Amino acid sequence: MLDVRRLTMLQAVAEHGSFNRAATALLLTPSAVSQQIAALERGLGTTVVERSTRGVRLTEAGRLLVDAAVAVGAELRHAEQRIARLGADRPRLTLATFTSGGRHLLPPVLARFAAAHPEVELRIVEREPEDSLPMVRDGSADLALAYHFDGPLPVVPGDRSGLEWTPLMTDPLSVVLPEHHSLAGRDGLDLSELAEDPWVLGCAKTEAFLRRHALMAGFELRVAGSTTDYFFARALVAAGVGVSLVPQVALDPPQPGTRVVPVTPPRPARHFGLALPCRRRPRPYADALAVLLHAHATGTAPGPVRVSGPTP
């Protein structure tokens, strides 16, 4: 029988890359961590880490065990969450969402869900995907409205991630210019045409995308303003601070003093989706909300979702 505590230690070693750093994170001594990993290896009859002066590296057996440790840890946290809910007077549903997507999609959906399921206590928390997806994995959120830019999905398909990803909609990006900018009358433009302009950032992920594009186009990105709110970024553009790259859902209502110009193809975009835990147990309320969100995002009629009694 594998020792869950030793699996947790192996997971920490994998995350931190050394016994010393793992021990610091676990509030243990390096020798204690090393001894427990050695005991794990003796019990298995194989090595799980390769040790060197540069740190440690997982073997194939070690990687399999870390995957198991992630799954076991998620199951235990889910159990804790469910036990905590057993004593609640009402079933609770926690949704994690990012700001602009939640503002665009959630109000009518949540109103419809609340009308259909008045017995459920809704809890909404605002989180970026790097924080909301771990919340779904560990059971502190039942589902997450999240996004990713062009590229790989934010979750690994299958049991390794512990999550299911359902695409919802594509949110194309446009350039927002001051209304008197020389390019404000264009029907489309390439980002390289703004190489000389200062930029106002609406989120850190937009900055990462812009810096990659600038590097490929051969110019250096000049940042004149940095915010965590696209609406504030658009106000700064109107004030003449710079130009900005803003997703479609954050362009309503229009900002006086600005002009919106689409980026020429291939047009960059964000992709919205729902993250739910892989089906280890019934999740009727989360599924019901997911059906409503998908229907609203895609403009389709939601199918019936039967909920048989409260599920903690």
Side-chain angles (χ1 to χ4, degrees), residues 240-302:
V241 175
V243 301
S244 190
L245 188 66
V246 177
Q248 189 72 32
V249 302
L251 292 174
D252 185 37
Q255 171 67 52
T258 66
R259 293 290 182 271
V260 177
V261 182
V263 179
T264 53
R267 191 176 182 185
R270 298 190 304 178
H271 305 280
F272 293 8
L274 280 175
L276 289 97
C278 290
R279 289 181 179 271
R280 306 180 189 91
R281 61 186 65 85
R283 53 183 199 197
Y285 290 122
D287 284 341
L289 181 57
V291 166
L292 291 175
L293 271 167
H294 185 271
H296 182 64
T298 59
T300 59

Side-chain angles (χ1 to χ4, degrees), residues 127-209:
R127 297 288 190 277
E128 284 293 301
E130 58 268 25
D131 297 317
S132 65
L133 299 186
M135 290 179 67
V136 178
R137 286 192 186 97
D138 67 23
S140 54
D142 297 288
L143 70 166
L145 175 61
Y147 68 92
H148 66 97
F149 283 93
D150 295 311
L153 293 175
V155 303
V156 179
D159 291 339
R160 285 191 61 190
S161 70
L163 298 177
E164 298 174 1
W165 179 261
T166 301
L168 291 181
M169 60 177 285
T170 297
D171 184 23
L173 300 172
S174 297
V175 175
V176 179
L177 307 171
E179 61 181 348
H180 299 302
H181 193 283
S182 60
L183 300 177
R186 294 275 294 274
D187 294 327
L189 56 84
D190 189 276
L191 294 178
S192 60
E193 297 181 75
L194 300 168
E196 302 301 320
D197 285 85
W199 286 84
V200 176
L201 305 175
C203 81
K205 295 182 184 64
T206 304
E207 178 179 8
F209 170 82

Side-chain angles (χ1 to χ4, degrees), residues 32-197:
V33 174
S34 179
Q35 289 169 13
Q36 290 299 318
I37 298 301
L40 178 62
E41 291 175 324
R42 286 196 301 273
L44 291 168
T46 187
T47 58
V48 296
V49 295
E50 296 175 351
R51 300 157 175 83
S52 73
T53 56
R54 293 187 296 247
V56 297
R57 188 177 66 176
L58 292 178
T59 64
E60 181 61 25
R63 287 190 287 272
L64 288 172
L65 281 179
V66 168
D67 287 346
V70 172
V72 169
E75 285 291 333
L76 290 174
R77 287 186 291 271
H78 273 285
E80 290 175 346
Q81 294 287 335
R82 287 168 61 83
I83 290 169
R85 294 177 186 180
L86 288 176
D89 295 331
R90 301 169 59 194
R92 175 186 291 176
L93 184 71
T94 299
L95 167 67
T97 181
F98 63 104
T99 306
S100 56
R103 178 180 180 271
H104 178 70
L105 290 176
L106 288 181
V109 171
L110 294 179
R112 184 170 181 177
F113 179 88
H117 303 291
E119 74 278 11
V120 177
E121 178 185 345
L122 276 171
R123 178 171 175 261
I124 312 300
V125 293
E126 181 184 351
R127 297 288 190 277
E128 284 293 301
E130 58 268 25
D131 297 317
S132 65
L133 299 186
M135 290 179 67
V136 178
R137 286 192 186 97
D138 67 23
S140 54
D142 297 288
L143 70 166
L145 175 61
Y147 68 92
H148 66 97
F149 283 93
D150 295 311
L153 293 175
V155 303
V156 179
D159 291 339
R160 285 191 61 190
S161 70
L163 298 177
E164 298 174 1
W165 179 261
T166 301
L168 291 181
M169 60 177 285
T170 297
D171 184 23
L173 300 172
S174 297
V175 175
V176 179
L177 307 171
E179 61 181 348
H180 299 302
H181 193 283
S182 60
L183 300 177
R186 294 275 294 274
D187 294 327
L189 56 84
D190 189 276
L191 294 178
S192 60
E193 297 181 75
L194 300 168
E196 302 301 320
D197 285 85

